[in-house]
């Protein structure tokens, strides 16, 4: 089963990279794009065929390694 | 003082750290490979600076899950001293031995220069050789030294005297240009709640002999030396 995990910064955590990207977008004259926040996306394959079991395994992966839950949230999408 | 320096792939300050430990304590440090599962019998374990695992995923994230880190956790749980410098600080936060996280510098630039630190708490095993409120120089060299923690954690660190070192300017003042990375409350170094684990971004190991331009950093090692005596 394929899965995609999105890791994003929690609200309130300063994201200097996001701000710099937003500044670069504005410098192209692309107005009307605000609140840019940079995150990470992981694409992976899970041997598990049961969605609930796969989700449990990926949750453990996020909690243990893929996200730093001090500053990041994660979202798991199963294909 | 018996010491060990943990070596991960991509670490590059391990020899500087071992040299500083030997210069100050007179005893060579054990070098311990990340894949080992046991530490030698030591008083202090140092997690040095560098770019473990190329800073992949997050700085220190992969090193924090290396086999040796379970031994470092057991050492800390027994009350053994642990010092993390730069990448070592990042590794200790990722390993859950210290609270908070080191984020990308607010400037988005790698910063490599001498900074000034003020001793906020001289009553710790890592700072007793300094006078409270004194200011000393140390080099920094990092791209991710921007300390961050949630409000409650920062309040607790401040309230419990666990902010040991703070970035200041040469005159010891905050709020000017002393903070090289945007760290919250100008935090440069923090202590765990038991007082035996310290993490700091600056490199005291690079200022322990006159040939290095000064001996300001010796105090960290002399403090631990006194604490284990």
């Amino acid at each position: 089963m394929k899965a995609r995990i999105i890791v994003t910064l929690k609200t309130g955590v300063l994201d200097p990279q996001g701000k710099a990207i937003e500044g670069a977008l504005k410098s192209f004259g692309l107005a009307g794009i605000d609140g840019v926040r940079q995150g990470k996306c992981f694409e992976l394959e899970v041997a598990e065929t049961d969605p609930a079991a796969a989700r449990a395994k990926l949750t453990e992966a996020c909690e243990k390694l893929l996200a730093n839950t001090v500053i990041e949230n994660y979202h798991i999408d199963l294909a | 003082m018996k010491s060990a320096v943990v070596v991960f792939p991509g670490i590059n300050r391990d020899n500087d750290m071992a040299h500083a430990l030997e210069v100050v304590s007179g005893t060579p440090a054990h070098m311990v490979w990340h894949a080992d599962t046991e530490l030698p019998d030591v008083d202090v374990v140092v997690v040095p600076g560098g770019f473990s695992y190329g800073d992949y995923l997050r700085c220190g994230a992969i090193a924090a899950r290396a086999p040796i880190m379970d031994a470092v956790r057991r050492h800390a749980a027994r009350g053994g001293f642990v010092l993390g410098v730069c990448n070592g600080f990042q590794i200790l936060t990722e390993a859950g031995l210290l609270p908070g996280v080191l984020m990308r510098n607010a400037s988005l630039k790698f910063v490599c220069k001498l900074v000034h630190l003020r001793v906020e708490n001289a009553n710790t095993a890592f700072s007793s050789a300094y006078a409270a409120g004194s200011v000393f120089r140390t080099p920094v060299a990092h791209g991710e030294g921007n300390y961050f923690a949630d409000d409650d954690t920062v309040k607790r660190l401040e309230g419990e005297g666990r902010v040991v070192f703070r970035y200041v300017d040469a005159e010891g003042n905050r709020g000017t240009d002393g903070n090289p990375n945007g760290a919250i409350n100008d935090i440069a170094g923090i202590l765990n709640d038991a007082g035996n684990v310290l993490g700091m971004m600056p490199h005291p190991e690079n200022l322990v002999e006159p040939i290095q331009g000064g001996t300001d950093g010796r105090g960290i090692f002399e403090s631990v030396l006194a604490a284990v005596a």
Side-chain angles (χ1 to χ4, degrees):
Chain A
M1 184 181 299
K2 284 187 189 301
R4 178 174 283 176
I5 295 171
I6 308 281
V7 175
T8 50
L9 283 175
K10 288 182 177 174
T11 311
V13 175
L14 186 69
D15 179 13
Q17 293 179 93
K19 273 202 159 55
I21 293 163
E22 189 176 314
L25 289 172
K26 285 189 170 49
S27 75
F28 294 135
L30 275 172
I33 299 178
D34 293 299
V36 177
R37 311 273 287 165
Q38 182 178 319
K40 295 190 184 88
C41 175
F42 300 91
E43 289 178 333
L44 32 87
E45 286 189 31
V46 211
E48 206 66 66
T49 49
D50 173 48
R55 189 169 289 279
K57 184 160 280 188
L58 293 173
T59 300
E60 191 181 347
C62 288
E63 291 285 337
K64 284 193 171 162
L65 182 64
L66 298 182
N68 181 336
T69 54
V70 176
I71 49 164
E72 293 169 331
N73 292 320
Y74 57 88
H75 175 80
I76 300 166
D77 279 324
L78 295 173
Chain B
M1 179 173 77
K2 290 172 291 182
S3 60
V5 176
V6 186
V7 184
F8 300 92
I11 284 287
N12 60 8
R13 300 291 188 119
D14 43 340
N15 288 318
D16 296 32
M17 185 58 80
H19 180 72
L21 287 162
E22 184 168 353
V23 162
V24 179
S25 74
T27 310
H30 296 270
M31 306 306 278
V32 182
W33 187 234
H34 68 107
D36 290 350
T37 52
E38 294 293 336
L39 286 164
D41 173 33
V42 293
D43 304 303
V44 55
V45 176
V46 184
V47 187
F51 301 88
S52 58
Y53 298 91
D55 282 346
Y56 290 175
L57 187 61
R58 295 178 305 275
C59 299
I62 298 177
R65 279 85 181 163
I68 194 62
M69 290 308 293
D70 284 332
V72 175
R73 277 192 205 89
R74 289 195 300 273
H75 173 81
R78 285 195 296 269
F81 294 114
V82 180
L83 170 66
V85 166
C86 199
N87 194 204
F89 185 11
Q90 297 162 343
I91 292 167
L92 294 183
T93 60
E94 282 282 349
L97 283 164
L98 289 169
V101 60
L102 284 309
M103 299 187 58
R104 180 67 64 94
N105 293 348
S107 65
L108 295 177
K109 292 193 175 83
F110 189 94
V111 51
C112 183
K113 62 177 186 180
L114 270 176
V115 300
H116 293 86
L117 301 184
R118 192 171 71 199
V119 180
E120 301 294 285
N121 183 355
N123 190 26
T124 81
F126 300 91
S127 59
S128 63
Y130 297 102
S134 62
V135 174
F136 66 100
R137 300 172 308 151
T138 47
V140 291
H142 60 248
E144 279 94 357
N146 183 351
Y147 184 77
F148 177 84
D150 61 66
D151 289 348
D152 289 346
T153 303
V154 172
K155 268 194 201 116
R156 204 165 59 243
L157 289 172
E158 294 282 0
E160 295 172 357
R162 290 163 55 192
V163 176
V164 182
F165 302 116
R166 216 186 290 275
Y167 301 112
V168 291
D169 64 20
E171 280 73 48
N173 298 315
R174 294 176 61 190
T176 50
D177 58 353
N179 181 340
N181 52 38
I184 192 164
N185 288 14
D186 303 324
I187 290 172
I190 58 163
L191 205 56
N192 69 335
D193 53 1
N196 63 323
V197 180
L198 179 104
M200 62 189 295
M201 286 313 296
H203 288 278
E205 76 275 19
N206 288 141
L207 223 44
V208 295
E209 293 178 292
I211 197 172
Q212 295 170 318
T215 58
D216 293 44
R218 281 186 79 101
I220 312 276
F221 303 98
E222 286 168 351
S223 300
V224 182
L225 189 61
V228 303

